[in-house]
Every structure is written in C-alpha cells, then in structure tokens.
Amino acid sequence: MLGIPPEQERLYVTLVAHPDSSLAELTGSADAVQDAVAAQLSELIASGLVVAEVRDLASADSAPRFRAASPSVALTPMLLHRRTMLDRTEAAVLALAEQHRHATSPAAGGVVEVVHGAGATRHRFTQLLGGARQEILVFPTEVAVAVDQESADPMVEDALRRGVAVRTVISRHHLQADGTMAAARQSSDAGVQVRVAEDVPVRMLVCDRATALMSLSQEAGCNEADSLVIHGTALVQALAVLFEQYWRRAHRLPLEAEPSDAGEPGAVGPTAEDRLILSLLALGLSDRKIAAQLDISLRTVERRLRSLMELADAQSRFQLGLYAARHGWLPADENGAADVTVPASGGGPPPRR
C-alpha cells in the first residue's frame, strides 16, 4: 500500500503506533527473527522512514530506540514520485492506443474499429467501462448478445464507485421481460438512472462522450455480436445527442411505491401500491406482466384496477388514465405532464405513440 516491501511496511506501521521501541520489543511484536528485523530497520533508516536514537551512551542499556519519521514528511516525496510515474504511464498508454488505432484502421484514420465476435466485444466493453471517468450512457437490449447482465453489473458498480454517472434508457418491450423490474431496482439502488422509452434505436454504449461501442446489427443472426468502436469524433457526439433526445422524452421508471395521502384520516385516493400499478400500466405493461414484475397475483392487479376505476368513476381504462393524470396519480415527466398511455384492456400489447 505504501510502496515499500510488506515486511518493512508492517514494521513502519508498528513504529507509528509504538514510537521509541527497541529492537527486542520490535522483534517480539513482529514475531520475527531479530536479524531479519534489524536488516529491515537498516533499510527503513536508509530510506528516511525510521530514525534511530541512543539516549545515554554511558548507561549500561545503551541500545538504540527507534521511531517512525513523520508520514507526511517521509512518505509525501514517495507519493509524488509514484503519481508522476502513473501520469507518465497513462500518457504512454494513450499514445500507444492512438498509434494502435492508426495502425489497425488506416482507411478510417483510426476513427472506427470493427470488432468481430462476442469475446472481442466483451473485451472492448470491459475496457470502456473500466476507463470511464465522468459519464456512461447506455441503450441496452432485452437480449444479451455479448455481455450479459450478470457480467455487466460488477463493472457498472465499479464505475459508480469511482464517481461515474450512469444513465440508461430501456424500451417498453424490454420492460416486458421477466425480472426487468428487479434488475432495474437493483441498478437504481446502486446509483444508475433508469428511464423507459417507446423503443431505442440501437444497442449502444457511450463513455465520456469520447468513445462509443455500437452493435452492427439489430437483428438476430450470425454477426449479431459484431460491433463498432468509435473514437473521439463528431459521430460520438452525435450518438450522445441522440441519447439525450431519447432521455428527455423517456419516462421515469417507477421502481417503488410512491407515498400517497390515502392513508390519512378522511383522505380518498390510490394507495402506494395502486400508484405503482398505474405507473406500470401507463408504461404499456399488461395486467399479467405487472403482476409478474411486482410479484403479486394477477387477481390482485385486476381487483385493484377495478377499485381505481370505481374511485375515478371511469367507464374505461382510457378514462382511468386521464383521471389519474389530471389528479396527480401518475408521476409527471420533466415537463410536468403525466404519461396517460393506458391500455384499453389487460391482455393486449402496449400501444405505440
């Protein structure tokens, strides 16, 4: 951790906690051979991390005592040196990456790489997420082609721990897949911002608005895992703008029941669970899919919707959607308008706008 051999580091940390220790005391606390401890002390003294002092030469006990030099004084030059070396290494890596792009893609001037196969795509995906510093934008797909959710989650969590902002827009069709709500809730709890759009135009990952990984095909087939890696060009900026357009039009995914006033004395309105059911219904999910995503019975969903229609005095689900939007039962989007796309029946596919 400190950039010195582990044995010396343990000895230095011991001296920080126990200054003015003798060789015998250090040997006992380290449970080591005295000659080995003495050799390590000599190295630490030579590097300026430890100071040896003899208090009284006339005393019978004139053995030196050892103390750790101030960490802020002794270790700061070492830290600065390592930081400089790291900066040089980063500069060398960037230069090699640029050289590699020009060497492997001469026709495109190093701007675009064609990545063949699931294995190579996974490798590029890992590299991009591992190198992201500020922002990751994702258009995912409901079918794992090269990188499955289980493999991607740890990499995304690592990016979030580094302070990288992660946003993703999923399609309504993606939301129909079993387990999507649970996965979205887990991602949201970790810090990912999730929204739902009618559809997404392409499978895509954009990192720091400088590099993008984009699928070559939207259809299943032998080349479905082939991808393009696009480097710092106007094309990457255009893909980021495309994401922002979909993000603004997309709707916030209701991941948990929102508070309501229905539980207060004299209040009449939907419960928190009712609001969650309405939100998913407005996103185009059928009754059966809502039940599966919320892990409740289909009968419960149908019963709650009948109760809401009675409460709203609605003769159809379309009227229920209008009433819910007008009375604040549905979450508003960024423009203050609520999504009122409610299926006419529980069994049909989600409507298209």
Side-chain angles (χ1 to χ4, degrees), residues 324-339:
R326 289 168 180 169
H327 290 77
W329 291 4
L330 291 172
D333 59 21
E334 289 184 334
N335 299 319
D339 183 4

Side-chain angles (χ1 to χ4, degrees), residues 77 86 106 123 144 162 200 224 226 241 260 262 298 310 313:
L86 184 60
H123 182 65
R162 299 196 309 270
V200 294
E224 63 180 1
D226 290 352
V241 170
S260 70
L298 175 61
E310 292 176 3
D313 192 23

Side-chain angles (χ1 to χ4, degrees), residues 109-320:
V111 170
V112 177
E113 298 177 56
V114 179
V115 180
H116 297 288
T121 297
R122 280 193 297 271
H123 182 65
R124 286 293 191 274
F125 183 89
T126 302
Q127 286 180 324
L128 291 178
L129 260 64
R133 296 183 176 184
Q134 297 176 332
E135 181 184 54
I136 296 172
L137 311 175
V138 187
F139 281 150
T141 177
E142 60 273 16
V143 179
V145 177
V147 184
D148 57 29
Q149 186 76 23
E150 186 176 350
S151 301
D153 284 346
M155 291 183 280
V156 172
E157 290 172 5
D158 179 68
L160 290 166
R161 281 193 294 269
R162 299 196 309 270
V164 179
V166 183
R167 288 186 287 159
T168 181
V169 177
I170 64 176
S171 68
R172 290 180 189 263
H173 189 264
H174 192 174
L175 195 60
Q176 303 283 348
D178 293 342
T180 298
M181 283 293 294
R185 183 177 290 111
Q186 182 179 357
S187 296
S188 179
D189 290 342
V192 178
Q193 300 177 61
V194 184
R195 289 191 181 182
V196 183
E198 178 65 26
D199 52 26
V200 294
V202 66
R203 293 194 297 261
M204 179 183 76
L205 171 77
V206 178
C207 292
D208 296 334
R209 305 191 179 227
T211 311
L213 176 68
M214 186 174 66
S215 173
L216 273 176
S217 174
Q218 291 291 88
E219 305 296 333
C222 60
N223 295 322
E224 63 180 1
D226 290 352
S227 303
L228 290 178
V229 178
I230 308 167
H231 301 281
T233 65
L235 179 54
V236 177
Q237 296 297 320
L239 292 174
V241 170
L242 177 67
F243 179 90
E244 294 294 353
Q245 290 176 345
Y246 273 77
W247 178 263
R248 285 193 294 270
R249 294 199 300 266
H251 300 279
R252 182 173 56 85
L253 180 62
L255 297 171
E256 58 185 15
E258 296 187 353
S260 70
D261 299 328
E264 298 181 0
V268 177
T271 65
E273 184 179 68
D274 291 338
R275 290 171 180 264
L276 188 53
I277 290 173
L278 279 171
S279 296
L280 293 177
L281 189 70
L283 288 173
L285 271 68
S286 67
D287 294 3
R288 189 175 302 278
K289 287 295 183 180
I290 293 173
Q293 295 290 3
L294 299 184
D295 196 22
I296 58 179
S297 69
L298 175 61
R299 183 169 298 180
T300 297
V301 174
E302 293 172 338
R303 175 173 55 80
R304 294 308 307 155
L305 286 173
R306 285 197 298 270
S307 297
L308 289 169
M309 290 180 67
E310 292 176 3
L311 184 62
D313 192 23
Q315 304 302 312
S316 67
R317 293 194 177 195
F318 181 74
Q319 290 180 348
L320 172 61

